[in-house]
Amino acid sequence: MRKIYAIGVGGSGAKCVEAAIFLHSLGLYGENSELRILLVDADTSNGNSQRTGVNFRTADDAQKAFGQGKSPLMDGQFFHYGTWNPLGDQIHNTNLAAVFNKQALRASAPPLAKLFDALYSPAEQNADLGVGFRGRPPIGSAVMSRLELDSLQQTQAGGWQQLFNNLTTDLGVGKGGDVVVHFFGSIFGGTGASGVPTLAKLVSNQLKQDNLRVRIHASLLLPYFAFERPDDGDQTVFAETRFFALNTQAALQYLTEQSEGCFDSVYLIGDNAQTRYDSHTGGKNQENGAHFVELYAALAANHGFDQPMGQTVAHYISRGDINNLIWTDLPDDEIAKLALSKGVRFAYAWFYNFSLELEAARKLGGKKFAKGAPWFQYFFALRAGEGDKPLVEDAQEMAKNDLLTAWARKFLQWAQQVSSAHVNGEQLFQLKHLDDLNQSPGYREHLHQLIIDKERSQAAQNGDRLDTIKNRLADEGKSYDNGVFGLAHALFALL
């Protein structure tokens, strides 16, 4: 059983974990696998991290209701260690001058105080770090360099201690081959560039002290988006696109120096045709759409299980045409295509059709509804007391429908953003035409337009309708479990 400890550092790291959450929902990481996540961010209200948390809870709730069925859907378990703030022990010190106690430094060590002034401008020294490290690796590295191994084991470190305890259990004799610690973070911003090398070194040192060995990998994001100056009033310290290349160069040097011998595999992923996002200096407004670069980063977690231990290897991947993104460009493309295309088709079918069908059956009554829907009787009782099948109006069945519909909505929103992130328009999926996913859905029937796939014939596409799938459900439904649980797994398997 594979176990992935996914540590997302900063906003981009959180978005990579978001991609991993959805891939895990589809069973891409393997049968009975576990995804255990921890987020790291000084900006506790960061919109990207907050969205990842919401999507985690949605997926986790759905997994608890639909896990261990007869399809890969929701097969693997989730666990969340929470979000750790590297400034957690500096509750009242939210700028560099306070963190390093500059006033005391002037009195006790004037040369160090002068060096501090030489390295950081007055604006950088006094910038509020409660909204993160402002896309400045020097600020992030100054804070992160203060961390010691003991600081991750203290009470305020929250999930770190539990993570170490779980790792120790999982890495018992002969068990390490199915466990990986995978860091995610951008290398051109503030938190990821400074946090990934430092935290990886601390984790590696802890495990070495305990005579434990595990694969430690990292997906490092090179520049893949850009933005204008944020409209945040008189802010003078903020992330700037023009510094991304310089930040990347410095951060890679910092990575080499700080984490030598820590990583087994490093995945470097970026995109020259940078997507443009609105700019905000931290907080809830810093919520960018999902991107296919983050999908690549999450797919790397699966790739890492097949890599050797003991020697750092850098991995990269290229695509055939910078103007397009096609399925064969993805790592392990056949596995990725199968899982993602099935996931999009299933989420679409459930959100725009089957969830509505179950609601209609609840209102109309199972017996009447089944007259026009032969598949229905294989999953639900037509009247009370009929066998061991549940009634569609049972509270537990309605709750399961709600949980899966919520997951389908979130998954489609994520997939829609990924498909639209390329500068040349939709890639992999065609989802831009969908209604506002925050609104109540209307019935939809056709599936053929969802996946961009030149290999499918026109005839195959024309026959790709949900009424055809429902006929197959009527033929094969008795092979699956009862209720919404069985219906969901039967539909996922058929799609």
Side-chain angles (χ1 to χ4, degrees):
M1 180 173 69
R2 289 181 168 182
K3 295 187 178 182
I4 300 172
Y5 287 79
I7 302 173
V9 187
S12 294
K15 292 174 67 187
C16 294
V17 170
E18 176 186 46
I21 288 168
F22 285 121
L23 292 181
H24 190 51
S25 297
L26 304 177
L28 184 134
Y29 292 137
E31 186 176 358
N32 294 322
S33 56
E34 290 184 8
L35 180 66
R36 295 175 168 266
I37 74 172
L38 186 147
L39 302 181
V40 176
D41 207 326
D43 179 9
T44 55
S45 63
N46 180 275
N48 294 320
S49 299
Q50 292 293 318
R51 188 180 72 209
T52 297
V54 169
N55 286 334
F56 170 86
R57 290 188 291 274
T58 302
D60 187 43
D61 288 344
Q63 193 282 326
K64 286 180 170 63
F66 291 91
Q68 303 301 304
K70 294 182 179 179
S71 81
L73 177 69
M74 305 295 171
D75 187 56
Q77 296 182 341
F78 292 92
F79 190 85
H80 198 336
Y81 295 102
T83 300
W84 177 68
N85 185 348
L87 290 171
D89 63 341
Q90 298 285 335
I91 298 174
H92 303 295
N93 299 331
T94 59
N95 60 54
L96 277 184
V99 168
F100 287 92
N101 200 349
K102 180 181 175 182
Q103 187 172 358
L105 201 63
R106 281 175 173 168
S108 62
L112 287 180
K114 291 182 179 180
L115 177 61
F116 186 70
D117 286 334
L119 291 173
Y120 299 99
S121 69
E124 289 174 325
Q125 292 180 28
N126 294 296
D128 179 15
L129 302 184
V131 293
F133 298 145
R134 297 170 175 264
R136 302 291 178 92
I139 294 178
S141 60
V143 174
M144 291 292 186
S145 65
R146 300 169 51 256
L147 298 176
E148 299 290 344
L149 192 57
D150 291 343
S151 66
L152 298 187
Q153 299 174 323
Q154 296 171 359
T155 303
Q156 63 264 32
W160 279 110
Q161 186 57 58
Q162 189 175 3
L163 184 148
F164 282 131
N165 290 340
N166 292 153
L167 260 178
T168 300
T169 301
D170 291 340
L171 296 176
V173 177
K175 296 181 180 179
D178 291 331
V179 181
V180 65
V181 177
H182 201 111
F183 286 86
F184 299 92
S186 70
I187 206 70
F188 57 92
T191 308
S194 57
V196 170
T198 305
L199 294 171
K201 183 175 182 179
L202 293 176
V203 170
S204 177
N205 288 344
Q206 171 70 60
L207 296 176
K208 287 177 182 177
Q209 285 186 15
D210 296 336
N211 294 316
L212 298 173
R213 185 71 178 94
V214 66
R215 290 183 178 88
I216 299 180
H217 300 160
S219 290
L220 303 179
L221 307 188
L222 305 173
Y224 68 103
F225 62 83
F227 42 71
E228 303 297 332
R229 176 186 175 124
D231 184 16
D232 291 339
D234 58 355
Q235 296 278 356
T236 58
V237 182
F238 48 85
E240 296 185 68
T241 302
R242 63 193 178 103
F243 291 141
F244 280 178
L246 181 62
N247 288 352
T248 300
Q249 180 182 6
L252 288 173
Q253 182 177 351
Y254 181 77
L255 176 83
T256 303
E257 296 171 352
Q258 291 295 313
S259 57
E260 183 178 0
C262 293
F263 294 111
D264 296 290
S265 290
V266 175
Y267 298 85
L268 299 167
I269 312 159
D271 186 35
N272 288 334
Q274 296 174 1
T275 303
R276 301 201 72 82
Y277 290 133
D278 293 335
S279 179
H280 300 278
T281 305
K284 64 181 181 180
N285 291 326
Q286 190 179 342
E287 181 180 348
N288 302 326
H291 197 286
F292 59 84
V293 163
E294 298 142 14
L295 170 61
Y296 272 80
L299 288 169
N302 209 36
H303 181 271
F305 280 101
D306 298 325
Q307 303 310 305
M309 300 170 64
Q311 182 178 0
T312 302
V313 178
H315 300 271
Y316 67 92
I317 190 169
S318 60
R319 58 183 194 262
D321 183 354
I322 194 173
N323 295 312
N324 296 288
L325 177 66
I326 60 176
W327 290 106
T328 53
D329 290 330
L330 298 179
D332 298 321
D333 58 285
E334 292 184 3
I335 295 173
K337 178 183 178 181
L338 177 63
L340 287 166
S341 59
K342 185 181 284 284
V344 165
R345 286 160 57 82
F346 172 81
Y348 178 92
W350 194 269
F351 187 73
Y352 286 107
N353 196 292
F354 279 87
S355 67
L356 304 178
E357 292 276 65
L358 295 183
E359 180 61 19
R362 182 188 68 81
K363 294 178 179 178
L364 187 62
K367 187 175 181 179
K368 288 184 178 180
F369 181 81
K371 292 180 179 179
W375 57 269
F376 182 83
Q377 62 184 318
Y378 293 104
F379 302 97
F380 300 97
L382 302 186
R383 61 182 65 85
E386 184 183 63
D388 58 354
K389 297 186 183 73
L391 292 168
V392 71
E393 61 264 30
D394 285 353
Q396 289 185 341
E397 298 305 305
M398 292 170 60
K400 288 178 182 177
N401 185 19
D402 289 343
L403 288 173
L404 196 55
T405 302
W407 174 86
R409 183 196 305 271
K410 293 296 185 183
F411 179 81
L412 287 173
Q413 287 174 334
W414 173 79
Q416 189 180 56
Q417 292 168 7
V418 169
S419 69
S420 301
H422 198 283
V423 294
N424 289 332
E426 287 189 305
Q427 311 289 320
L428 303 180
F429 318 117
Q430 292 185 137
L431 301 174
K432 198 172 182 178
H433 67 282
L434 298 185
D435 302 330
D436 183 350
L437 287 161
N438 289 315
Q439 304 297 321
S440 298
Y443 267 98
R444 290 175 181 262
E445 188 73 30
H446 291 278
L447 297 171
H448 70 270
Q449 79 277 25
L450 299 177
I451 311 300
I452 299 175
D453 186 355
K454 296 180 180 179
E455 297 177 1
R456 301 191 70 205
S457 67
Q458 190 62 46
Q461 293 184 42
N462 291 340
D464 198 3
R465 296 170 49 88
L466 285 174
D467 54 2
T468 305
I469 300 298
K470 289 173 183 176
N471 290 335
R472 293 178 61 191
L473 277 175
D475 295 335
E476 303 178 29
K478 56 188 175 183
S479 302
Y480 289 87
D481 297 305
N482 298 328
V484 176
F485 179 92
L487 175 60
H489 285 284
L491 178 61
F492 191 85
L494 290 177
L495 289 172

